Amino acid sequence: MEAGPVPASFGKKGQRTPAGVFQVQWKNKDHRSREFNNAPMPFAVFFAPGGIAFHEGNTETESAGCVRLSRENAERWFNSLQVGDRVEVTNIPQ
């Protein structure tokens, strides 16, 4: 285990973040969402179908499915996780 649990925000009703065990698919340090009006997704680590990623963002509001993290945690996981690494997402509020 790298770290956790850490403060995070998850997907809102109708756009829930998937729970389970996944593998890192790809990463992009300066990603912007084409789906959400070019919204910034710094330190994005994509792990689930549908463009679901861990990334830096507001942890006080619900997301559209991604896991939003503080800059410190997003950067830590971006730097330590590699494509193919296992990630586990649990304890998601419903």
Side-chain angles (χ1 to χ4, degrees):
M1 178 188 292
E2 176 73 23
V6 299
S9 69
F10 300 93
K12 58 189 165 205
K13 187 175 182 178
Q15 296 178 305
R16 295 286 185 213
T17 303
V21 177
F22 305 93
Q23 285 188 313
V24 174
Q25 301 299 309
W26 61 288
K27 301 177 357 173
N28 184 332
K29 183 178 179 184
D30 299 308
H31 188 74
R32 291 194 163 270
S33 172
R34 285 175 274 169
E35 185 177 354
F36 293 99
N37 204 24
N38 211 31
M41 297 170 59
F43 303 105
V45 177
F46 292 87
F47 64 91
I52 305 298
F54 300 108
H55 63 82
E56 178 187 349
N58 184 346
T59 61
E60 299 298 318
T61 60
E62 294 176 309
S63 74
C66 287
V67 178
R68 291 190 197 142
L69 302 166
S70 68
R71 180 179 179 89
E72 176 185 1
N73 287 317
E75 189 171 5
R76 174 185 338 166
W77 278 328
F78 182 87
N79 289 331
S80 66
L81 288 169
Q82 302 303 314
V83 171
D85 284 354
R86 174 189 159 137
V87 295
E88 188 172 339
V89 180
T90 60
N91 298 326
I92 299 171
Q94 295 298 315

